Amino acid sequence: MAAEYDVSALRVEGLWKWFGPRCPRCSTGREEALERNYCPDCGTVYALRDLSFRLFEGEVLGVVGESGSGKSTILNCLYYDMEPSAGAAYLSSFEGGESDVFSVSAQAKRTVRNTLLGKVYQNALLGLKMGFSSISNVAEKLIASGDRNASRMEARAVELLGHVNIPPYRMRENPEFFSGGMQQRVQIAKALSNNPPVLLLDEVTTGLDLSVQAKVLDLVKQIQRELGISMLLVSHDLGVVRMLADRTVVMLNGKVVEAGLTDQILEDPQEPYTQELVHSML
């Protein structure tokens, strides 16, 4: 069974996330029971509905869709910021891809989060401690994984902050004094601290000036090329996805409506919703 998935860094199967009590009408899972992703009888909102996909080794998989489509909820579930309602996920780097990372012990989840995954949040306030130095922020991830050697952690932090173009004279400053683009770069350094095989990127350029966006995207592209990390990239910006993603899945109301090679999706969209997205970019 494992050999079938030996090129998948991550596979997600039947992922659901709902908010609300559910009722006999909507718990059947039938499309006609819902208005978009909302049950009018009990008020339950279905953020993710039976989602399945694979992220291959060394690949960038883009996830696009309008606000509320469920894109960021995928990352929140995978990084244990939110508990899924149902479904399973498997990392090839964790127990050979045989164990569902949603069902393992709390200790095993900490191992997955701190050593096998990295995440860059849309809002840097969620990913960084603004009152601590940039070096300390990177070291925090190393400490969480069990490292206790201060000199080694500092050297690693300096190396990574240099890699994301934080000037040496600013590495001991707190991120609260940084621009949005610099904060995102510190987040990237922190996320890379333990060489995770999978990196989760949540709207990493939202709210940044266009020139800063370009620098952050160039950095992400360079890191992926040099390190061969598998990346799950969530964005509402098709320009970002076009630049970075090998394949793309399009989401609407918690479900995948189209998936394929990024060039194929953007040049010849098949679904009406994808066509609307692509035309809105033109």
Side-chain angles (χ1 to χ4, degrees):
M1 197 64 184
E4 182 182 350
Y5 299 102
D6 60 357
V7 295
S8 298
L10 165 71
R11 74 182 197 272
V12 173
E13 298 179 352
L15 181 59
W16 291 77
K17 180 61 184 178
W18 58 74
F19 300 91
R22 304 182 85 201
C23 67
R25 170 175 173 162
C26 66
S27 60
T28 62
R30 294 197 309 270
E31 189 77 26
E32 60 270 20
L34 302 176
E35 294 180 3
R36 292 173 61 89
N37 63 339
Y38 170 79
C39 176
D41 282 7
C42 67
T44 297
V45 174
Y46 287 82
L48 296 174
R49 295 189 283 162
D50 199 22
L51 192 72
S52 297
F53 64 88
R54 291 194 207 176
L55 171 65
F56 296 108
E57 292 180 359
E59 176 189 46
V60 179
L61 178 64
V63 183
V64 300
E66 63 190 30
S67 296
S69 61
K71 307 183 303 295
S72 294
T73 304
I74 300 170
L75 303 192
N76 288 337
C77 289
L78 290 172
Y79 204 59
Y80 304 119
D81 289 331
M82 182 182 291
E83 186 173 347
S85 302
Y90 304 87
L91 288 164
S92 62
S93 53
F94 181 72
E95 298 184 354
E98 299 279 342
S99 297
D100 170 21
V101 296
F102 294 145
S103 301
V104 295
S105 67
Q107 181 178 355
K109 287 179 179 178
R110 285 193 295 271
T111 297
V112 170
R113 178 182 170 109
N114 293 323
T115 64
L116 302 180
L117 296 174
K119 183 176 179 181
V120 180
Y121 291 83
Q122 175 181 350
N123 184 349
L125 288 170
L126 298 175
L128 298 174
K129 286 184 166 53
M130 292 298 177
F132 290 82
S133 72
S134 299
I135 287 177
S136 296
N137 269 280
V138 177
E140 181 193 22
K141 182 88 169 174
L142 295 166
I143 291 170
S145 68
D147 199 333
R148 295 295 182 268
N149 186 305
S151 59
R152 183 171 59 232
M153 287 189 290
E154 181 173 354
R156 177 65 173 159
V158 169
E159 173 194 357
L160 286 167
L161 290 169
H163 191 60
V164 299
N165 302 316
I166 301 297
Y169 65 91
R170 303 206 67 181
M171 292 179 182
R172 297 189 184 279
E173 290 185 36
N174 298 351
E176 62 184 319
F177 303 117
F178 289 176
S179 66
M182 287 183 69
Q183 289 176 352
Q184 292 299 66
R185 283 186 271 144
V186 175
Q187 274 209 90
I188 291 170
K190 180 177 181 178
L192 292 173
S193 60
N194 285 313
N195 295 313
V198 174
L199 188 62
L200 310 175
L201 303 172
D202 189 8
E203 301 278 12
V204 291
T205 60
T206 297
L208 302 179
D209 293 337
L210 289 177
S211 61
V212 178
Q213 285 186 30
K215 291 177 182 177
V216 171
L217 292 175
D218 283 341
L219 175 62
V220 172
K221 197 169 185 177
Q222 174 191 344
I223 288 169
Q224 201 281 329
R225 184 172 60 248
E226 292 177 355
L227 303 181
I229 296 174
S230 303
M231 296 184 178
L232 189 59
L233 169 73
V234 161
S235 181
H236 70 278
D237 188 333
L238 293 182
V240 170
V241 171
R242 181 190 290 275
M243 179 177 178
L244 296 178
D246 303 298
R247 289 188 303 122
T248 296
V249 298
V250 181
M251 292 190 64
L252 178 66
N253 298 327
K255 298 185 71 174
V256 172
V257 295
E258 190 165 354
L261 296 174
T262 299
D263 288 345
Q264 172 191 329
I265 293 287
L266 297 182
E267 298 296 335
D268 186 26
Q270 300 299 304
E271 294 296 320
Y273 174 69
T274 311
Q275 292 169 0
E276 288 180 21
L277 277 182
V278 172
H279 291 154
S280 70
M281 185 181 73
L282 301 176

